[in-house]
Amino acid sequence: MTATAPAAEATVRKSSPGAARGPRRRTGRIRRIGLPYLLLLPALLLELLVHLVPMVIGIVMSFKELTQFYIRDWGTAPWAGFDNYSVSVDFDAPVGKALLHSFLVTVAFTVLSVSLCWLIGTAAAVFMQDTFRGRGLLRALFLVPYALPVYAAVITWVFMFQHDNGLVNHVLHDQLGLTDKPSFWLIGDNSFIALLTVSVWKGWPFAFLIVMAGLQNIPRELYEAAALDGAGMVQQLRRITLPSLRPVNQVLVLVLFLWTFNDFNTPYVLFGKSAPEAADLISVHIYQASFVTWNFGTGSAMSVLLLLFLLVVTGVYLTLTSRGRRTAQ
C-alpha cells in the first residue's frame, strides 16, 4: 500500500493540467521573444550586405597601395600598412593640408546648416501650432523641398545660380539693386553661400516635420495655465516648449549633423566633380582623392578617418545628452 502511493501520486501530478502548462508557457515565451528577432533577420542580412561588407572592404583597402594599376584585382595590391593614414594626417604635406582645409570647411558648413535648419524648422513648427485658414496647405508647401528628389531640386538651383540668366542675380542685381554687378555663385567664395543656401532650403522641412510632431505631445493645458499666470509667448517658449522638446531636439540635431557632414549629392550635383576651394566638402574631397587621382588606398584611409571622427563625435554627444537627461530627471 505504501509502495504504490508515491507512484499513484506521480501519475496524478503528470496528468494534472498545471504540469503540462509549465512547458507550454516556456515554449510560448520563447516564441514571443524569438519572433521579433526572426522578423528582423532579413533586415539585418541586408544591412550586412549593403553597409557592413563594403565598410570592411574599404577598411582593408585603406591598408593597401591601391592605384589604377590594381583595379582589376585589388586583392593583389601591395600592403602599405599605415602609410596611407600617415600621408592623410601629415598636415605639412599637400595631401594632408588639403584634407585639413576640406575638414574645416565641412565643420563650418555643418554648424551653420544644422543651426539654420533647426532654427527655421522650429520657428515654422511653433507658428503652425495656431489654427488659421489655409494651415494645411501651408504645411504641405513647407514639405515640398524635403519631398522633392535631391537631383531635381539641386539642378533647379544650378539654373537659378547661373551668372548671366539666373533668377538669383536677376532678383538681387536687376530688380533690387543689392549688388554692383551679377555675382558668380558656383565658383569662388560665393560657392560656400550657394551650397549653404541649398542645404538649408533642402533640410529645414525635415526639422519642421520632426519638431511639429514633438509639439503634438505637449499638453495644451500647460500653455493655458501659463497664460493665466501672465506668461507671454516668449516665456512660454522658454519655459514650456523648448524644455519639452529637448528629447526630440537631441535626436534631431544628431541626425541633421550626420546627414549634413556626409552630404555628397548636394555639392556633387551643384558643382560637379571638382568643387571650388571654398565649398570643398570632405565627401567630395574623398571622392576626388579616390576616383579622380585614382589613389583608392589614400581615399579609403580618408574615409576610415571620417568614420572614426563621426563615431567619436556621436559617442561624446550621446554621452553628454544622456548625462544631461539624468541630471534633469
Side-chain angles (χ1 to χ4, degrees), residues 302-315:
M302 293 178 182
S303 300
V304 174
L305 291 174
L306 175 61
L307 174 63
L308 294 176
F309 170 77
L310 293 178
L311 288 176
V312 170
V313 172
T314 303

Side-chain angles (χ1 to χ4, degrees), residues 83-91 95-97 99-100 297-299 301-302 305:
D83 292 344
N84 294 324
Y85 291 92
S86 61
V87 170
S88 300
V89 298
D90 186 6
F91 300 133
V95 176
K97 188 180 297 184
L99 181 62
L100 179 61
T298 305
M302 293 178 182
L305 291 174

